Amino acid sequence: MVKVAIVGATGVVGNKMIEMFEQYEIEADELVLFSSPRSAGKEIEVLGRTLTVRELNEESAKEPFDYVVMSAGGGTSKEFAPIFEENGAIVIDNSSQWRMHEDIDLIVPEINTPKLERGIIANPNCSTIQSVVALQPLKEKYGLKRVHYTTYQAVSGSGSGGLRDLEAGAKGEAPTTYPHPIYDNVLPHIDVFMADGYTKEEIKMMDETKKILDQPDLRVTATCVRVPVSNSHSVHINVTLDQEATVEEVREAFRDIPYIKLLDDPANNVYPTPLESTGEQEVSVGRIRRDDSLENTFHIWCTADNLLKGAAQNTVQILKMMMETERVQNG
């Protein structure tokens, strides 16, 4: 009997997790949906079953679960993930709460696998995920010296509040989620500003990239920007390689990888866009060109659905990987 819980089931990412459960054919004998008290009592159809959403509290978190996937914010994860863990569950958390803890695995299934020092596995930041998926083939072939990110992040990364601000701004209404209007505007501000002038989002990308790629000395910097796009993040990656490569060799590094879509024919207006990435499970790369201002450095444009590969899909991929590993171990 396999018992699985989804925490934050009624949120934007939670809804996508439910879709991913069906697409990845997650087999659970019992599935429990948790939410805040405000959403408890709702009925949701999952895997052909109509389930009533339950309120998450300390008592319910002590129930025996095999796996718990969480997308309910850092505060909820900080409080409840250890309780689920103490009672025997493998917890896969989508918040930033656990990502940089030394004993917590930070996982992108195409790149690394959990060591399970703890029963909590962290899902990386949405922009980090798509970026490291694009960097991994280059690391394997040429090695990495330096990475500079500039992100163009969709409002769905802020949940329903971001989407509401974009829609309300089109009507001339004031924002309630962002400090300035996002409609017809661009905000170089995601998460809070830190003492050094970077935002917390930028620091997440820098630190998480090093941890996932297992390259603590990699030089990484970032500027993260919110743009008036509903869904799918875009990232400009400026990468310096350790070994010499040509533009064509960099392009070939991405070819025939099932989880990467190479769209790089600018003469015919072929390049990744967030509109085309929305609803797609692959990470798209294109606009590949040499940066002549730095030695052995290249520009890469990368887009991906931040609610899928950037969140729900990656979480469910981790879950699927863990379930299959346990199935093999148990014969």
Side-chain angles (χ1 to χ4, degrees):
M1 292 286 290
V2 178
K3 186 176 179 181
V4 181
I6 301 177
V7 177
T10 59
V12 174
V13 174
N15 287 331
K16 290 295 182 181
M17 282 183 179
I18 290 171
E19 291 180 21
M20 291 294 100
F21 266 55
E22 295 172 347
Q23 289 194 31
Y24 280 86
E25 299 179 337
I26 298 299
E27 297 179 4
D29 298 293
E30 185 176 353
L31 181 61
V32 178
L33 307 182
F34 287 115
S35 73
S36 64
R38 184 179 65 253
S39 299
K42 288 185 178 180
E43 291 188 343
I44 299 178
E45 186 169 329
V46 190
L47 301 173
R49 291 171 270 181
T50 300
L51 303 177
T52 301
V53 179
R54 295 172 51 190
E55 177 185 349
L56 178 63
N57 52 43
E58 186 173 345
E59 183 179 349
S60 59
K62 290 180 178 178
E63 295 178 22
F65 289 95
D66 296 287
Y67 303 97
V68 177
V69 294
M70 303 188 69
S71 187
T76 299
S77 179
K78 182 178 182 179
E79 180 179 359
F80 291 104
I83 300 175
F84 283 119
E85 178 191 21
E86 287 166 10
N87 286 275
I90 297 294
V91 181
I92 305 166
D93 179 54
N94 194 51
S95 79
S96 61
Q97 172 61 38
W98 305 102
R99 292 173 186 161
M100 295 312 298
H101 287 235
E102 289 187 8
D103 56 351
I104 299 291
D105 296 305
L106 186 63
I107 299 297
V108 177
E110 293 87 350
I111 298 175
N112 56 355
T113 56
K115 299 175 182 177
L116 286 182
E117 292 181 41
R118 290 275 305 274
I120 299 173
I121 299 171
N123 197 56
N125 173 274
C126 45
S127 292
T128 305
I129 292 174
Q130 69 186 76
S131 300
V132 295
V133 166
L135 287 171
Q136 178 68 9
L138 299 179
K139 179 189 175 183
E140 290 177 350
K141 288 196 171 188
Y142 304 107
L144 306 177
K145 276 189 176 180
R146 166 194 163 275
V147 177
H148 180 187
Y149 296 127
T150 305
T151 73
Y152 305 76
Q153 293 177 229
V155 297
S156 60
S158 303
S160 58
L163 291 163
R164 183 179 58 247
D165 270 15
L166 181 60
E167 294 169 4
K171 304 172 187 176
E173 299 174 11
T176 58
T177 299
Y178 302 124
H180 303 285
I182 188 62
Y183 177 75
D184 206 22
N185 203 11
V186 168
L187 305 181
H189 176 188
I190 300 178
D191 214 319
V192 298
F193 284 101
M194 310 301 285
D196 60 2
Y198 282 85
T199 65
K200 193 174 180 181
E201 181 83 356
E202 291 157 355
I203 292 171
K204 288 176 195 173
M205 287 197 73
M206 293 153 60
D207 291 343
E208 291 174 24
T209 295
K210 298 174 187 180
K211 182 172 180 177
I212 296 165
L213 295 176
D214 194 23
Q215 196 169 338
D217 296 330
L218 181 65
R219 289 177 289 169
V220 188
T221 189
T223 297
C224 293
V225 181
R226 188 73 68 191
V227 295
V229 170
S230 295
N231 197 62
S232 290
H233 293 344
S234 303
V235 182
H236 168 243
I237 305 173
N238 184 261
V239 57
T240 301
L241 303 180
D242 196 39
Q243 300 176 33
E244 287 290 331
T246 66
V247 169
E248 186 54 37
E249 286 171 336
V250 170
R251 188 177 291 117
E252 283 300 312
F254 298 118
R255 205 178 298 278
D256 300 324
I257 297 178
Y259 48 85
I260 292 179
K261 186 181 291 186
L262 179 63
L263 299 171
D264 193 34
D265 185 9
N268 291 300
N269 299 322
V270 176
Y271 40 75
T273 69
L275 191 62
E276 290 177 313
S277 283
T278 296
E280 299 294 322
Q281 297 189 18
E282 300 90 352
V283 172
S284 296
V285 297
R287 291 286 337 263
I288 299 167
R289 61 203 189 280
R290 183 177 290 278
D291 181 347
D292 291 329
S293 71
L294 292 169
E295 185 178 353
N296 205 31
T297 300
F298 298 86
H299 296 286
I300 298 164
W301 180 254
C302 164
T303 66
D305 191 317
N306 56 292
L307 298 180
L308 292 181
K309 185 54 186 169
Q313 176 187 330
N314 199 74
T315 302
V316 175
Q317 283 180 281
I318 297 170
L319 173 63
K320 182 83 171 180
M321 176 173 62
M322 298 306 301
M323 295 177 81
E324 289 179 347
T325 299
E326 184 172 344
R327 193 176 296 119
V328 169
Q329 291 175 345
N330 293 338

